[in-house]
Amino acid sequence: MMRTLINVPKTAKKGEIVEIRAMVAHPMETGYRTGENGVPIPRQIIHRFTCSFAGREIFAADLFPAMSANPFLAFTTVATGSGTFTFTWTDDDGTTQSAAAEITVT
């Protein structure tokens, strides 16, 4: 499991714009570099990142080799109700991982 840092406000007022931030600890290896032994290091990147709220996708990003290691993404959304944000990312090898964060809207 990759280490993630998810920052979602614990509370918000209905209709308030909230900032969501996520960082995934990942090497994002491009496949263009060679190791100390001269052999190319295999490509390993997160190619898709999504965030859903109440089962509806609210943010998606396709990532490419030019993205730095440990990608950091930030976006905003409108607080419409209490619930769970689900963050999902898919690696080149098909591995899919996720994390979740709760928000209470008053």
Side-chain angles (χ1 to χ4, degrees), residues 24-86:
V24 180
H26 191 279
M28 296 296 283
E29 187 56 60
T30 65
Y32 300 128
R33 295 184 325 131
T34 56
E36 292 179 14
N37 58 0
V39 176
I41 300 170
R43 176 181 148 138
Q44 182 189 8
I45 67 168
I46 295 171
H47 64 84
R48 182 81 171 158
F49 177 90
T50 62
C51 176
S52 299
F53 182 76
R56 195 184 94 194
E57 188 175 281
I58 61 168
F59 178 83
D62 292 322
L63 307 180
F64 297 92
M67 190 74 173
S68 68
N70 307 319
F72 173 81
L73 296 115
F75 56 95
T76 59
T77 189
V78 176
T80 56
S82 298
T84 303
F85 289 97
T86 304

Side-chain angles (χ1 to χ4, degrees), residues 13-30:
K13 293 187 188 316
K14 188 170 184 150
E16 180 180 355
I17 296 174
V18 294
E19 183 179 39
I20 311 296
R21 291 179 275 173
M23 188 200 75
V24 180
H26 191 279
M28 296 296 283
E29 187 56 60
T30 65

